[in-house]
């Protein structure tokens, strides 16, 4: 009998067009281009919020700094850090056993 491991965030941030989420699988140039398009004058997003967890925090910081450098002084960055509770659930492949849940903390950044 085996188990399948699933990772879950314990809470979700509101889904808005101005929220941009980064992971280690995120293509840096594509996300930079996406953020630049959101910040074009006249677009419906006067501001964006970049979110990232764990190892991907470096990507989020680099994107924010790139946006600030190309914004010619029109962008103002505010960074907040937090700790997010993640849940790892191991689901049994059979019906006879209960799923095992393990929670852990992970660093997060919101720019």
């Amino acid at each position: 009998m085996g188990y399948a491991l699933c990772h879950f965030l314990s809470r979700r941030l509101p889904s808005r067009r101005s929220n941009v989420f980064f992971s280690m699988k995120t293509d840096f140039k594509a996300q930079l281009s996406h953020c630049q398009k959101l910040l074009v004058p006249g677009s419906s997003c006067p501001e964006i919020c970049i979110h990232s967890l764990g190892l991907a925090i470096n990507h989020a910081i680099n994107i924010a700094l790139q946006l600030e450098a190309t914004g010619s002084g029109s962008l103002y960055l505010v960074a907040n850090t937090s700790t997010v509770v993640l849940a790892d659930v191991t689901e049994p492949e059979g019906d006879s056993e209960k799923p095992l849940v393990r929670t852990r903390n992970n660093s997060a950044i919101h720019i």
Side-chain angles (χ1 to χ4, degrees), residues 21-26 50-62 107 109:
F21 298 91
F22 285 87
S23 71
M24 290 302 290
K25 296 178 183 178
T26 305
I50 298 171
H51 306 279
S52 187
L53 293 173
L55 291 174
I57 288 174
N58 191 34
H59 288 277
I61 293 170
N62 285 335
S107 301
I109 192 164

Side-chain angles (χ1 to χ4, degrees), residues 11 14 17 20 34 43-44 46 52 56-57 59 62 77 89 101 103:
R11 69 176 183 91
R17 186 170 179 243
V20 182
H34 176 70
S43 72
S44 61
S52 187
I57 288 174
H59 288 277
N62 285 335
L77 299 180
V89 179
V101 179
T103 60

Side-chain angles (χ1 to χ4, degrees), residues 7-38:
H7 302 286
F8 296 101
L9 281 170
S10 60
R11 69 176 183 91
R12 289 271 186 207
L13 293 170
S15 178
R16 290 181 273 180
R17 186 170 179 243
S18 61
N19 283 336
V20 182
F21 298 91
F22 285 87
S23 71
M24 290 302 290
K25 296 178 183 178
T26 305
D27 181 51
F28 186 85
K29 288 183 180 181
Q31 283 295 72
L32 179 60
S33 175
H34 176 70
C35 291
Q36 287 171 333
K37 287 177 187 175
L38 288 175

Side-chain angles (χ1 to χ4, degrees), residues 4 11 13 25 28 35 60 66 74-75 79-80 85-86 89 92 96 102-103 105 111:
R11 69 176 183 91
L13 293 170
K25 296 178 183 178
F28 186 85
C35 291
Q66 290 281 332
S74 63
L75 291 179
N80 295 309
V85 178
L86 302 176
V89 179
S96 61
R102 183 185 69 137
T103 60
N105 297 324
I111 305 170

